[in-house]
Amino acid sequence: MGLSDEQKQIVDDEVGMAGRVARRVATSLAQQSEEKKPQKRGKLDSDLMQLRDDIAAARGEDVAALLAEMMRTANVAAVELPKAQGSIDPQAPYFGHLRLEEKGRKRDVLIGKRGMIDRDAGVVIVDWRNAPVSRIYYRYDEGDDYEEELGQQVREGAVLVRRTLTFSRGRLLRIRCPSGTFSKSKGDGPEEWVALLAGEGPELKGGVGKAARAPSPSSSSASPARAALGLGDEHNREDRHLPEITALIDGKQFDAMTSPTSGLVTLQGGAGSGKTTIALHRVAWLAFQSAQPSSGRLQGEQFSALRPGGQFRPSHILVVVAQRQLVRYIERLLPSLDVRGVRVMAYADWTIWAVERLLGKHGRRIVDDVTPDVSRVKKHPAMLAAVQAQVADRANKVAALLADAVADRIDGAALMLAWQATQALPLVPRLQTFRTGALEDLAFATDTRERAKRAARKALDLLTDLVSEWEELITDEALLRSTGVDEAAIRTTLQHTRRQVEELPDLSDIDDDHKTPVDDLGPDPSDPIQAFDVHDLPLLLAMQVARHGALIERGGTAIAHDHVVVDEAQDLSAIELLPLIASTGDRQSMTLAGDVVQKVVFDNGYETWEELFSQLGPSLKHGAIAVAPLRLSYRSTAEVVEFAREVLGPLAPVEAPRAVRRGAPVEVFSFVDAGEEVAFLADNLRALMAREPLASCAVLLRYPERARFFYDHLVDAEVPRLRLVLPGDGNSGSDDEFSFAPGIDVTTIAKVKGLEYDYVVLVEVTEAMFPEALVSRHLLHIGATRAAHQLWVTTSIETPSSLLSAARIREG
């Protein structure tokens, strides 16, 4: 629509300011040329002078085009542009305009990414990152009075004008201010300034309460069996989204979900399709059937045949999640399904707990930070074969040890036949059974029996020294090379593992008076000397399973669970899943919930569930069932689902997910500089928190360093209820846990796996941050599908990520 007189005055004001800045830059270019070649001037230099004069006399709307031509000429002439421009970028010299009044005096201040001051030319541009006056731009709105300490003085005044400008290639394209948003028209006709219609300006709104909250327990008037699946009186339940999902699964999915004898069941589906919800409903169903055998589908005798006591006891059910922040959420969700006492743990914490049960207080540090090469080797599916190969080697050595012990005995051959008769058992129980059974029951000579017992005891001592066995495994070049991983990765891994088995230096003989402070500091936290890394813990557990057939604790009992649920299972490798499967005993009642296109871990060695099942192979006693994928998306709107599918590109499933509702369009805003991006976010996030104080919003970046950068500047801009959530690093202002309270979380995409928010803003989706790569597609898909109501994306005008559709991008 056309401009009113007031709006035209605003546009003329900004066009005039842009012209003054362009003329100042043009003068700098020409002056630099003259200074560089005072004696001899060629045609290019003459052209520069002519363009400078043309710019000085040009109309405001023509200045940008002339400046662009002048820059092209300057480039050809090899003029040193940074020096000539005073470090100002002529393509986008500034993005903010303040007009301040102090004690009756008015002044214009422009906010950009570089500073340049020429008061005679009427140009004052300050660097948004360090100029004190820039705080006024970020903290105050047009019409506000301000009081700020600028330099050594407290300055008071009023903000007469606060506008945000968007430039592209030196051309002013957009003006945003309280009076409206004005943009240069696009089309076949002559360019003119137009005002965007109401509703065309960006705004986060209308989504409060859309993101699921952990519900509180509520009563249900439904039958107990239906209540166990959440199919109760939906109007009386606070978790109404749960029964809605469960009620819409098909018969085959229902049968797999409610069968305790089906072994390992994989619930597949896109983001927000209800995988976790259905997995938790399966827990509720199993617990309900266990408590009510006479009225359920399974009778007591059938339960008894499955397990002594035939129970799925909540206290013996384990739910494993990918990240610690999900533990509290799941713990609050389960009571709403009338299930209490279920243990919920992050996978990393479960492995630490399990290894301590096996080894006791082993005293070794756990190093989190390992190279990708080490991770890839230790998680490679061939490591399962390496573990089995080591045990097979030990079995051969045990046989040789026994044969040598009784080689000269007349009944030695009979003893070896007795040993062979136990070969169906795992090696450690085999030795134990042989020592206490065959040797006692069969009529061997006393000397033969004692020799064999001593040899078996020696073998058991070696086999049950799990740390020594681990040290030998991880430094065995032949075994590691059997994984088939490239030679460079093997060499890196061997350097790491050899360091792990080195002895700490002995400082006991150094006199205390001569020790330096360095002597008592111990190893660097990242140094793996005498430490386990995070990938060693599941490896140790898998080694215990290979030797014992179960996770046998130091006291001789087994770590056992009636049922295990693994959420975000696609981010665990076969060797990481194996100990969890072993903990379920012979029944192997286990549920995996996951989606291979949502993975954030890319070195697990499989791309499909079928590949994973093949790698687990003999470990799956009852096979595995992959339930038909859940196709409905209950979390995100149709618009968000469509965008998420776009960024997946060739990775997207053949059958597209379907959303149950529509919402606001996904908007992609482009900016020239991070300062402009911060201003845009600050304005809109402040407005969102004022309108919807109970809303949840996530500001997501790829890397922790960039998350902290934006957090710090949004704090400076006085955006309320900000929280920085990053992996614990000891720095103030950052938390490793989510509060699940209303407000704004600034964090990384990988950190919000499994969470959801009313609003999500994906920040800095540029080619540098998200190039065309598998991991970029997965991360953008995950970040986008955290949004329950509305999704925004910010990018660069000049270098947007190639994964973004050009049709979606608009200047911020």
Side-chain angles (χ1 to χ4, degrees), residues 184-482:
K184 276 198 172 181
S185 62
K186 295 180 180 179
D188 298 331
E191 285 188 345
E192 62 177 359
W193 284 91
V194 297
L196 298 184
L197 296 172
E200 289 186 338
E203 192 172 46
L204 293 166
K205 65 178 181 180
V208 64
K210 296 293 183 182
R213 313 286 184 205
S216 60
S218 61
S219 62
S220 173
S221 60
S223 69
R226 287 177 61 79
L229 280 177
L231 304 177
D233 181 356
E234 298 187 7
H235 297 290
N236 293 330
R237 294 179 62 92
E238 293 185 23
D239 59 330
R240 290 190 295 272
H241 63 292
L242 300 183
E244 176 187 26
I245 294 170
T246 313
L248 292 177
I249 64 174
D250 62 30
K252 184 177 179 181
Q253 293 165 342
F254 181 89
D255 287 343
M257 185 182 73
T258 58
S259 173
T261 60
S262 57
L264 190 150
V265 173
T266 302
L267 298 172
Q268 323 170 65
S273 62
K275 302 180 298 296
T276 304
T277 298
I278 292 178
L280 296 180
H281 277 78
R282 187 178 188 214
V283 168
W285 190 88
L286 293 172
F288 171 78
Q289 289 289 338
S290 181
Q292 306 287 334
S294 62
S295 61
R297 291 175 54 189
L298 292 179
Q299 301 302 314
E301 291 181 2
Q302 291 171 288
F303 269 103
S304 297
L306 293 172
R307 189 181 189 88
Q311 295 179 334
F312 288 90
R313 301 156 292 182
S315 61
H316 286 67
I317 293 175
L318 172 69
V319 176
V320 175
V321 295
Q323 302 187 71
R324 292 185 178 99
Q325 58 264 25
L326 290 175
V327 171
R328 184 165 47 152
Y329 179 83
I330 299 296
E331 286 176 337
R332 292 169 59 191
L333 183 62
L334 282 167
S336 72
L337 301 176
D338 294 326
V339 181
R340 292 172 174 81
V342 170
R343 173 179 289 179
V344 185
M345 299 182 76
Y347 180 78
D349 293 333
W350 182 82
T351 58
I352 292 171
W353 172 84
V355 167
E356 286 183 350
R357 298 291 291 267
L358 267 57
L359 302 181
K361 296 297 182 182
H362 50 76
R364 287 182 180 250
R365 297 173 299 115
I366 298 174
V367 177
D368 292 325
D369 188 21
V370 297
T371 68
D373 282 343
V374 173
S375 173
R376 190 153 52 94
V377 171
K378 290 190 176 182
K379 293 169 63 177
H380 196 280
M383 284 301 290
L384 284 175
V387 168
Q388 294 294 338
Q390 189 188 45
V391 173
D393 175 72
R394 297 299 184 264
N396 291 333
K397 289 182 177 177
V398 169
L401 193 64
L402 287 171
D404 185 63
V406 298
D408 59 346
R409 303 300 300 170
I410 193 168
D411 52 358
L415 183 140
M416 294 308 297
L417 287 174
W419 168 249
Q420 291 299 322
T422 62
Q423 61 184 349
L425 295 172
L427 187 54
V428 171
R430 184 183 180 188
L431 274 165
Q432 292 169 336
T433 300
F434 181 69
R435 287 180 70 238
T436 59
L439 289 180
E440 296 296 336
D441 296 340
L442 299 178
F444 295 111
T446 301
D447 187 51
T448 302
R449 184 184 298 117
E450 290 304 316
R451 288 188 185 191
K453 280 186 177 182
R454 285 195 297 271
R457 180 69 264 171
K458 181 178 180 182
L460 275 172
D461 289 342
L462 292 173
L463 283 168
T464 54
D465 185 354
L466 197 60
V467 173
S468 294
E469 292 283 88
W470 163 81
E471 288 184 341
E472 183 170 327
L473 177 73
I474 64 171
T475 55
D476 188 323
E477 292 189 40
L479 280 178
L480 293 182
R481 285 195 167 85
S482 72

Side-chain angles (χ1 to χ4, degrees), residues 611-735:
E611 287 182 76
L612 172 64
F613 300 154
S614 175
Q615 292 166 11
L616 289 169
S619 303
L620 302 179
K621 299 177 182 178
H622 306 293
I625 297 174
V627 179
L630 306 170
R631 297 299 184 190
L632 288 178
S633 173
Y634 294 90
R635 175 192 301 141
S636 302
T637 63
E639 290 78 3
V640 172
V641 169
E642 179 185 1
F643 174 85
R645 185 171 174 80
E646 281 180 17
V647 298
L648 276 180
L651 304 179
V654 175
E655 186 177 343
R658 291 173 289 137
V660 298
R661 58 191 171 88
R662 299 198 66 84
V666 175
E667 298 193 74
V668 182
F669 302 96
S670 59
F671 302 93
V672 171
D673 182 72
E676 184 184 1
E677 210 166 354
V678 168
F680 174 85
L681 292 172
D683 288 348
N684 284 283
L685 293 175
R686 279 197 302 263
L688 172 63
M689 288 293 98
R691 281 192 308 271
E692 300 181 20
L694 298 180
S696 63
C697 179
V699 176
L700 304 180
L701 293 104
R702 179 160 186 178
Y703 299 109
E705 298 80 7
R706 297 306 292 167
R708 182 174 291 279
F709 172 88
F710 274 86
Y711 171 81
D712 289 342
H713 288 293
L714 290 172
V715 168
D716 287 343
E718 298 187 341
V719 175
R721 283 188 296 198
L722 278 175
R723 298 180 291 264
L724 178 64
V725 187
L726 297 176
D729 56 5
N731 292 322
S732 62
S734 174
D735 195 357

